[in-house]
Amino acid sequence: MVQLTFLGAVRTVTGSCYLVTTPSGKILVDCGLFQGSDEAGDQNRAPFPFDPKEIDVLLLTHAHIDHSGMIPRLYKSGFTGPTIATHATVDLCSIMLADSGHIHEAEAEWLNRKRRRAGQPPIDPLYTERDAEKCLSDFRGVDYNRSYEILPGVEARFVDAGHILGSASIELTVRNSREVVRIGFSGDVGNINQPIIRDPVPVGPCDFVLVESTYGDRVHEDRAGRADKLARIINDTLGAGGNVVIPAFAVGRTQDVLYEVHRLQKEGRIPEFPIYIDSPLAISATEIFRRHPECFDKDMNELYEAGESPFDFPGVSYARRTEESVALNTVSGAMIISASGMANAGRIKHHLKHNLWRKESTILFVGFQAAGTLGRRLVDGARTVTLFGEEIAVNARVETLSGFSAHADREGLLKWLDQVQGTGRVFVVHGEESQSLAFAGLVNSRLGIKSELPDLGDTVELEPDGSVSWITRVERPVDERVRTVAALLDELAARARVTKTLLAGSPAPRLEQLENALRNVLSVLDKN
């Protein structure tokens, strides 16, 4: 009756894309760009594993490029249907997809200069800024919490995912005669108690749920701890005469950091000091935030009603022009917030070049850093990095604040999933393999729900009685399995370093359970 194919964001955090085949037609949920890994460029340029002309409708959970970034290419390849998303997501896509197209044009131009020197033929950009602008006329905005018939017998309902402005989880209900299949797509589930936007709410009753697992094996700092750490980092860095440099996603994290800094200044915990938002995209996104108070939480609405804005307060400056950005290369005693959040592109790379070598400065990461990105290398302790062909020493402090993450942590994801009624099968997606594996185990053990970890290209048939038949089960290459085992061993070593400091306070039953588990691991390693 209903088939589901996993085309991205499985055993990785990017490239979100799922194909739902129903008796009435074909639906895509998300169409995102692969990012971070060495293979990402090839994956993005490969032909779509379906005929875009056969897709009837695209449902988009939110505007982040790893969920939306392939939409212009989808239209270029023959898709003619509507893209349905919340009103705020449609507005954000109007700037984010155009910006993405501009980046692809610039990257193609840079690569083609190298290719010409090597005597190689030029390549076209994945898509252009104009391609992105053209497809926006086919976007359709919808309200939260209303059901829409998107195909005969197929309804979609968007509920607030609490991840970024306009983000949604999606309920998909497919009716055929008397049979009904209900599928929930979590999208990216937000962290609770985030500033500005509301907390996530679960989808309604679903037989099957696809749930993200970005932080499926860890717990975030609480908001109070996050604020204390941020205040300490700011005060220490300003006292040393350095800069706090924050690679931040233009949508969500930039606005959240401004909100928190504004609050700390109001409480007298940090001084007034220069804060520079150096991202044209973040500036445009902040303007869109102002237009969508329907997405704000109670605290944010109260601020606005009192005539305050956490986006405009003493010391905050917005650098839109290139010359304004270049002028920041010589500042000290300031905060510089710039995109991209994983430090792989954008103006942030210039600010890292001018601050990484300064021992008085701090590089502060406030979001997830995917494997293969510059941000991930810095978080993992790289002592040197190469920027614009120059080797730069990492003398600055590198700090992380997981409490600013826009993603729910392990406990938040379990709480969200536990509130979805009627779920018989969970597919764990959108997480690095170690996180997805860990979270799938928790879904089984703590919630008592059977969970699956699909592979890229897998197809399942979803039955009205909640059962699953695997139509296509992709056999993973041996080298991928080797990388998986190596990654899990690295994760085990990292956790062991943390766990050793906590053993003294553990209860005896917990210690016995941990001892037995580790003995089993060692036994398996001995046999191999």
Side-chain angles (χ1 to χ4, degrees), residues 86-366:
T86 66
H87 298 289
T89 294
V90 172
D91 280 355
L92 286 173
C93 281
S94 71
I95 60 171
M96 295 185 70
L97 293 180
D99 180 74
S100 178
H102 175 75
I103 291 171
H104 288 307
E105 289 182 78
E107 288 179 346
E109 183 181 347
W110 178 77
L111 283 171
N112 284 336
R113 286 199 297 268
K114 292 180 65 177
R115 292 175 70 87
R116 281 195 296 272
R117 290 194 294 268
Q120 298 173 334
I123 60 169
D124 292 327
L126 194 65
Y127 56 85
T128 66
E129 187 172 356
R130 178 62 183 143
D131 293 328
E133 291 169 348
K134 283 169 59 179
C135 76
L136 290 167
S137 62
D138 290 307
F139 277 55
R140 304 286 182 267
V142 297
D143 298 327
Y144 284 122
N145 304 317
R146 286 184 57 191
S147 291
Y148 296 87
E149 186 173 60
I150 58 171
L151 291 172
V154 182
E155 291 184 351
R157 189 170 81 101
F158 291 67
V159 299
D160 198 336
H163 173 62
I164 63 168
L165 191 82
S167 62
S169 302
I170 298 174
E171 300 170 20
L172 197 63
T173 303
V174 183
R175 292 183 173 86
N176 185 29
S177 300
R178 296 181 180 177
E179 297 180 334
V180 179
V181 172
R182 303 167 301 176
I183 314 168
F185 297 85
S186 75
D188 287 357
V189 179
N191 197 3
I192 62 170
N193 296 324
Q194 282 194 88
I196 303 174
I197 62 174
R198 294 186 295 262
D199 284 351
V201 295
V203 292
C206 287
D207 308 298
F208 310 93
V209 175
L210 283 72
V211 63
E212 67 121 321
S213 56
T214 310
Y215 287 97
D217 69 342
R218 60 200 66 184
V219 176
H220 296 323
E221 297 165 290
D222 61 24
R223 186 170 180 180
R226 177 187 74 187
D228 290 344
K229 187 174 180 180
L230 178 61
R232 175 180 57 77
I233 289 170
I234 290 171
N235 288 325
D236 288 352
T237 305
L238 296 181
N243 295 317
V244 179
V245 178
I246 304 181
F249 297 107
V251 178
R253 299 297 67 70
T254 294
Q255 293 79 22
D256 289 353
V257 171
L258 282 175
Y259 185 102
E260 199 66 40
V261 170
H262 176 59
R263 188 171 71 88
L264 289 172
Q265 286 186 345
K266 285 179 62 178
E267 294 173 358
R269 299 174 63 184
I270 60 174
E272 289 186 8
F273 63 100
I275 301 166
Y276 300 99
I277 312 304
D278 186 24
S279 166
L281 183 61
I283 296 168
S284 298
T286 302
E287 292 167 356
I288 289 174
F289 266 69
R290 294 187 181 101
R291 298 207 300 264
H292 286 281
E294 78 276 8
C295 297
F296 293 166
D297 63 13
K298 179 175 177 288
D299 292 342
M300 182 67 174
N301 277 313
E302 287 177 353
L303 267 183
Y304 260 79
E305 289 168 6
E308 290 187 58
S309 169
F311 308 137
D312 300 288
F313 53 92
V316 176
S317 301
Y318 289 86
R320 191 182 286 274
R321 300 196 308 272
T322 301
E323 54 268 31
E324 293 172 324
S325 176
V326 172
L328 301 182
N329 294 342
T330 58
V331 303
S332 292
M335 175 180 285
I336 301 171
I337 306 173
S338 187
S340 68
M342 297 186 192
N344 254 25
R347 293 180 177 182
I348 188 61
K349 295 177 72 173
H350 294 276
H351 300 306
L352 291 174
K353 177 182 176 180
H354 290 279
N355 283 276
L356 276 171
W357 56 271
R358 299 178 61 183
K359 66 179 184 302
E360 65 271 23
S361 288
T362 300
I363 314 302
L364 176 59
F365 289 94
V366 294

Side-chain angles (χ1 to χ4, degrees), residues 310-453:
F311 308 137
D312 300 288
F313 53 92
V316 176
S317 301
Y318 289 86
R320 191 182 286 274
R321 300 196 308 272
T322 301
E323 54 268 31
E324 293 172 324
S325 176
V326 172
L328 301 182
N329 294 342
T330 58
V331 303
S332 292
M335 175 180 285
I336 301 171
I337 306 173
S338 187
S340 68
M342 297 186 192
N344 254 25
R347 293 180 177 182
I348 188 61
K349 295 177 72 173
H350 294 276
H351 300 306
L352 291 174
K353 177 182 176 180
H354 290 279
N355 283 276
L356 276 171
W357 56 271
R358 299 178 61 183
K359 66 179 184 302
E360 65 271 23
S361 288
T362 300
I363 314 302
L364 176 59
F365 289 94
V366 294
F368 182 78
Q369 304 300 307
T373 61
L374 174 59
R376 181 63 168 266
R377 293 200 296 277
L378 290 169
V379 167
D380 285 347
R383 301 313 308 157
T384 62
V385 296
T386 301
L387 289 166
F388 308 107
E390 182 180 346
E391 188 173 17
I392 308 294
V394 182
N395 296 325
R397 291 165 56 192
V398 176
E399 299 268 10
T400 61
L401 267 178
S402 67
F404 270 106
S405 174
H407 291 268
D409 62 9
R410 177 187 72 203
E411 299 306 313
L413 288 170
L414 287 170
K415 179 181 178 182
W416 183 92
L417 189 57
D418 194 35
Q419 294 177 82
V420 180
Q421 299 175 7
T423 303
R425 189 72 59 100
V426 168
F427 299 98
V428 178
V429 297
H430 199 287
E432 290 184 3
E433 193 158 32
S434 58
Q435 277 80 15
S436 294
L437 287 165
F439 189 67
L442 289 171
V443 171
N444 286 326
S445 63
R446 287 176 54 174
L447 301 185
I449 304 173
K450 184 172 177 57
S451 63
E452 306 275 1
L453 196 60

